[in-house]
Amino acid sequence: RTGIITITSQSGSRKDQGKVLGFRASADSLGQTIPALIAGVLAGLYGYEFPLQVATLIFGLLGVFMFVFRKSLMAKKED
C-alpha cells in the first residue's frame, strides 16, 4: 500500500499532491464501501452464501479470461 501512495503522490505536482492523495483516499473508501453494501443487500435477499457464490463466479471468470488471453496480455506488457 505504501508503494501505491508513493506512486500516486508522484503523479501530481507538488502543489496538487494533497488533492491527488485526497482523491485516492476517497476512491479507496468507496472501493471498500460499495461492494460491502452490495454484498449485504444480496445476502439479505438471497442468503449469506449468495455473495460468496457471486465472488467465486467473478474470480473464476476472471481466471478463465486471463488464461485464454494470456498471450495477448503478456505481449502488451512487453511493449
Side-chain angles (χ1 to χ4, degrees):
R1 200 161 227 189
T2 305
I4 293 172
I5 294 172
T6 302
I7 292 169
T8 304
S9 69
Q10 291 174 351
S11 68
S13 67
R14 284 179 89 71
K15 179 182 170 187
D16 294 332
Q17 277 186 352
K19 291 178 187 176
V20 171
L21 290 172
F23 180 78
R24 193 204 72 79
S26 297
D28 189 37
S29 294
L30 284 175
Q32 292 179 17
T33 303
I34 293 172
L37 290 172
I38 292 170
V41 169
L42 291 175
L45 292 174
Y46 303 109
Y48 72 92
E49 295 117 350
F50 190 73
L52 300 173
Q53 293 167 347
V54 170
T56 301
L57 177 66
I58 289 171
F59 281 107
L61 290 174
L62 181 62
V64 169
F65 175 81
M66 290 178 69
F67 180 76
V68 170
F69 295 104
R70 69 186 179 279
K71 290 182 182 177
S72 63
L73 292 171
M74 292 302 288
K76 288 180 183 178
K77 185 178 179 182
E78 292 174 1
D79 289 342

